[in-house]
Amino acid sequence: MEAIVYVSPLAALDIIMVKKYAGVTEEDLVDVRKNWIQTERILPKSSPDVRMVVFHLVLSLIIYDFLIFFQHYCLHKNRWLYDNIHSCHHNHHKGLHIRITNNLNIVERVSIVLTANFALKVIGSHPFTRTLFIPFFVSLLSESHMGYDFPWSYDKIIPLGIMGGAKAHHAHHFSGTKNFQPFFTYIDNVIMKRTMKTEHIN
């Protein structure tokens, strides 16, 4: 049942929306726009090379992380937004586990999907890159919510502490006052330094 609730709005949008990918002209879409139910996709004529795919994956993740930070921060700092939209994601009495990843209010779920789509679209990602983004993105989200801090986790593989990982997200779920970025740490680090500086002055 959960899969139907999650997939239904996305499938409905996919059926009625005309997808315009980078590299596809308006002339290519003339016939497709005549149908209100979309049964085919017009794809770009050329495919990206490996470097472009990797670059777009990383850049879209950075853009997504940046935008979601501000949404997530507002959901925690505004009591009404937290109580009515985000609190269900933090409602886990038996500890953090992988199913928490998908424990979202419909407003937050749609916001996350639209933000991810925007991050991919704004940089002109190829449909192949978009296809790779989904399992990559979901695996990072799942890993940060699973409640285990493995030595091979992404935050251990990528150097300099620029990724938060499961440990940072676990701390967020139980304090709600830090680690608002889903994957990276640079904005959270700046905010924590400012908070500590302000507390020290006061």
Side-chain angles (χ1 to χ4, degrees):
M1 185 62 177
E2 188 176 326
I4 293 169
V5 170
Y6 185 73
V7 171
S8 295
L10 301 174
L13 281 174
D14 196 52
I15 289 170
I16 61 170
M17 286 181 64
V18 174
K19 299 276 200 264
K20 184 182 183 310
Y21 300 111
V24 176
T25 65
E26 286 297 324
E27 294 83 42
D28 296 332
L29 296 173
V30 170
D31 290 334
V32 175
R33 291 193 192 280
K34 292 177 185 174
N35 302 321
W36 67 277
I37 294 180
Q38 300 302 309
T39 57
E40 63 179 298
R41 299 284 182 244
I42 307 298
L43 300 175
K45 291 178 177 44
S46 62
S47 58
D49 62 9
V50 173
R51 288 177 305 194
M52 189 56 72
V53 169
V54 171
F55 176 71
H56 278 178
L57 279 174
V58 171
L59 185 58
S60 59
L61 195 65
I62 291 169
I63 293 168
Y64 169 84
D65 190 79
F66 179 79
L67 295 172
I68 286 294
F69 166 82
F70 291 104
Q71 291 175 31
H72 195 193
Y73 188 79
C74 289
L75 288 171
H76 276 271
K77 296 302 178 184
N78 181 299
R79 191 71 197 170
W80 187 90
L81 291 174
Y82 183 82
D83 290 343
N84 292 290
I85 296 173
H86 191 59
S87 63
C88 63
H89 184 64
H90 286 266
N91 188 13
H92 44 81
H93 306 293
K94 296 181 181 178
L96 197 59
H97 54 84
I98 202 160
R99 292 202 64 211
I100 297 300
T101 309
N102 200 32
N103 193 16
L104 301 168
N105 174 295
I106 189 71
V107 172
E108 191 170 10
R109 181 173 293 160
V110 169
S111 172
I112 286 170
V113 169
L114 291 176
T115 303
N117 280 331
F118 173 79
L120 290 159
K121 189 168 183 71
V122 76
I123 59 174
S125 291
H126 189 275
F128 179 69
T129 306
R130 296 169 73 96
T131 303
L132 293 177
F133 179 84
I134 295 165
F136 178 61
F137 171 74
V138 170
S139 68
L140 290 177
L141 281 176
S142 299
E143 186 174 324
S144 64
H145 284 90
M146 76 172 130
Y148 293 103
D149 189 26
F150 292 121
W152 57 82
S153 296
Y154 65 86
D155 60 307
K156 312 288 187 313
I157 296 168
I158 297 170
L160 306 174
I162 59 172
M163 304 293 279
K167 192 173 183 180
H169 207 70
H170 185 271
H172 166 75
H173 267 261
F174 287 97
S175 77
T177 59
K178 58 185 177 181
N179 303 325
F180 296 102
Q181 282 181 273
F183 308 120
F184 296 99
T185 59
Y186 61 94
I187 302 174
D188 286 311
N189 290 340
V190 169
I191 286 178
M192 288 308 292
K193 283 179 187 171
R194 280 203 171 164
T195 304
M196 289 167 63
K197 190 184 241 183
T198 306
E199 288 173 356
H200 180 69
I201 292 170
N202 294 333

